[in-house]
Amino acid sequence: MSVFTPIAKAPEASSRSPLVDPFGRMISYVRVSVTDRCDMRCVYCMSEDMNFLPKRDVLTFEELDRLCSAFVARGVRRLRITGGEPLVRRGVMGFFRSLSRHLESGALEELTLTTNGSQLAGYAADLAAAGVRRLNLSLDTLDPAKFKSITRWGDFAQVLRGADAAQDAGIALKINMVALAGVNDDEIPRMLEWAHRRGADLTLIEVMPLGKIEAERTHQFLPLSAVERRLSELYTLLPTDHRTGGPARYVRVAETGGRLGFITPHTHNFCESCNRVRVTCTGTLYMCLGQEDAADLRAPLRASPSDELLNETIAAAIARKPKGHDFIINRRSAKPAVTRHMSVTGG
C-alpha cells in the first residue's frame, strides 16, 4: 500500500486569488477522480468490456494531493473524491488522511466522496476519522435481482452493509438514484420512503448522454419533471432553500420529513449557478461535464516542483469555462452528447 507525506509549503503569490469564471461564478467546488476503474458495470455508465488506463497515465497520490491543495489555495471549499469507484484504488485512505489537514486548518469546508458502496463496509470508520461527514451512495434499486441487472457485477447485500457501516460511523448518506424509464421508475416512492426511514436524503438524477454504451439512452431517459408531478400526487412536496454545493434542487417531503433532490440536466438546466469543475485521474480538467473543452494539469504538475505553472494553467482554463452544457437526448441519433464515459470524468 502506498504511503506519502505531503510537503507543507506556503502558497505562491499567484495562487491566492479566487477562481472566477467569465460569468462571475466563483469556483468553490472541485470533483477529483482518483481512478477510472470500477468493480461494477452499470448499464447507463459503462460498457461491460471496458479498456482502462495504464498506470503511468494516472496521477500518483502525491500529484493528486498537490493538485487538490492548489485548488484549495485558490478558494475551493469543497472537494469530492470520485472514480470510477474511488475506494478500489490501493492506498486511497492515505490520500484522504492527507487531505484532512485542509479541514483541520479551516481552508476546506468539506471533504466527501461518491461511491457505489461495494467497499464501504471496510472503509467507513477510516473515512469518518479522516473528516468525511457525508457521502453520496449510488443506488438505483432495492430489488437484488434488478440491482444485479443494472450493475452487472454488483452485490446488493454488500452495498447495504456498506450503507449501514457509514451511518454507524456517523457519516450522513445521500442516496443517488438514476431514474431509468421502464427499469426503476416504479420504485421511486419505495426508494424515497426507504431512504427517509434511515435518515438519508434521496436525489433523483436524469440519465446523462456520456460515452457509448450498449443500451439506448433514448429508451432509458425519464424526465424528472414528470416524476415530480407524479410524486406530488402521492406526497406533499414543500419548497426548501437547502443546498449542498452541487446541482440538485431540493424539496422536503411532508409525510416523511426527509429531503428529495432533483438533478435535471435536460428538463431544468442548472448551469446558471454552476460553481464546479472536474478533474480526471489523469489530471485533465473539465470546466463543464457536458463539453469536451479541457486543460491538461498533468503536464505542469510533472514539469516543475513549483506550482506556478500549474496555477497559470488552472486560471487559464477557468477563464474558458462555458455558460452551460449541450446535453440533449436525441431520438434521431444514437451518438452520445459527449464521447467519454462518466467513469472517465468522475461520477
Side-chain angles (χ1 to χ4, degrees):
M1 182 177 292
S2 62
V3 178
F4 70 96
T5 302
I7 300 173
K9 59 179 180 179
E12 297 165 24
S14 63
S15 72
R16 293 173 184 155
S17 58
L19 294 167
V20 180
D21 77 3
F23 305 96
R25 300 170 297 195
M26 181 175 171
I27 307 305
S28 59
Y29 184 3
V30 179
R31 299 186 178 211
V32 180
S33 172
V34 297
T35 181
D36 65 327
R37 296 174 186 269
C38 187
D39 51 0
M40 296 185 190
R41 295 290 185 274
C42 294
V43 295
Y44 53 80
C45 180
M46 305 171 90
S47 296
E48 187 163 14
D49 185 20
M50 290 289 292
N51 293 316
F52 294 112
L53 295 164
K55 184 176 180 180
R56 65 179 179 275
D57 292 346
V58 176
L59 296 183
T60 66
F61 280 128
E62 289 84 353
E63 290 168 332
L64 285 163
D65 182 278
R66 191 174 144 206
L67 186 152
C68 289
S69 299
F71 275 108
V72 171
R74 298 294 295 266
V76 165
R77 300 287 291 160
R78 288 185 169 95
L79 285 176
R80 177 173 295 278
I81 306 306
T82 70
E85 168 49 47
L87 298 182
V88 300
R89 182 166 177 185
R90 183 176 300 176
V92 71
M93 280 314 308
F95 179 56
F96 274 99
R97 284 190 289 270
S98 176
L99 290 180
S100 70
R101 73 191 188 276
H102 297 304
L103 293 170
E104 294 166 2
S105 73
L108 191 63
E109 181 178 320
E110 183 177 59
L111 174 63
T112 185
L113 78 153
T114 295
T115 176
N116 65 25
S118 65
Q119 308 299 314
L120 196 49
Y123 284 110
D126 289 339
L127 287 166
V132 173
R133 297 292 171 256
R134 69 180 184 96
L135 60 81
N136 289 358
L137 174 64
S138 300
L139 183 63
D140 301 318
T141 178
L142 296 174
D143 180 327
K146 193 181 294 184
F147 180 84
K148 191 75 171 179
S149 174
I150 292 173
T151 64
R152 295 191 179 103
W153 298 0
D155 183 332
F156 181 71
Q158 186 176 344
V159 171
L160 290 191
R161 286 193 295 272
D164 291 340
Q167 290 189 299
D168 289 346
I171 299 175
L173 290 186
K174 179 164 75 73
I175 308 300
N176 283 352
M177 179 183 188
V178 176
L180 301 167
V183 178
N184 64 359
D185 45 341
D186 60 333
E187 282 196 77
I188 292 173
R190 181 187 175 203
M191 181 71 84
L192 183 153
E193 295 185 12
W194 174 83
H196 289 179
R197 275 197 306 272
R198 54 188 302 152
D201 293 348
L202 172 67
T203 295
L204 304 175
I205 306 172
E206 288 178 339
V207 67
M208 300 184 190
L210 293 169
K212 184 175 176 57
I213 59 174
E214 289 86 354
E216 276 282 352
R217 285 200 178 89
T218 55
H219 300 150
Q220 293 178 340
F221 177 61
L222 178 64
L224 290 185
S225 53
V227 172
E228 186 171 6
R229 284 194 300 271
R230 189 190 322 157
L231 290 175
S232 67
E233 297 172 357
L234 301 173
Y235 305 99
T236 306
L237 306 183
L238 304 173
T240 175
D241 59 1
H242 176 73
R243 294 289 182 273
T244 62
R249 173 181 59 86
Y250 287 92
V251 298
R252 184 170 291 279
V253 182
E255 289 79 3
T256 65
R259 283 189 292 257
L260 172 65
F262 299 91
I263 296 181
T264 53
H266 305 286
T267 57
H268 181 268
N269 190 297
F270 45 70
C271 298
E272 67 276 0
S273 60
C274 183
N275 62 341
R276 299 170 298 284
V277 294
R278 295 170 184 258
V279 183
T280 73
C281 59
T282 62
T284 301
L285 170 63
Y286 285 100
M287 292 72 79
C288 175
L289 179 62
Q291 301 278 5
E292 293 284 15
D293 187 28
D296 176 14
L297 303 185
R298 185 176 61 192
L301 273 169
R302 293 181 175 177
S304 169
S306 165
D307 287 345
E308 185 174 357
L309 184 56
L310 174 63
N311 275 296
E312 289 175 0
T313 307
I314 292 172
I318 300 304
R320 304 199 309 271
K321 183 172 169 64
K323 190 172 185 179
H325 61 63
D326 291 331
F327 281 157
I328 186 170
I329 297 289
N330 188 345
R331 295 188 182 277
R332 291 171 295 181
S333 172
K335 292 182 179 179
V338 174
T339 57
R340 66 186 183 277
H341 287 89
M342 189 68 170
S343 60
V344 174
T345 313

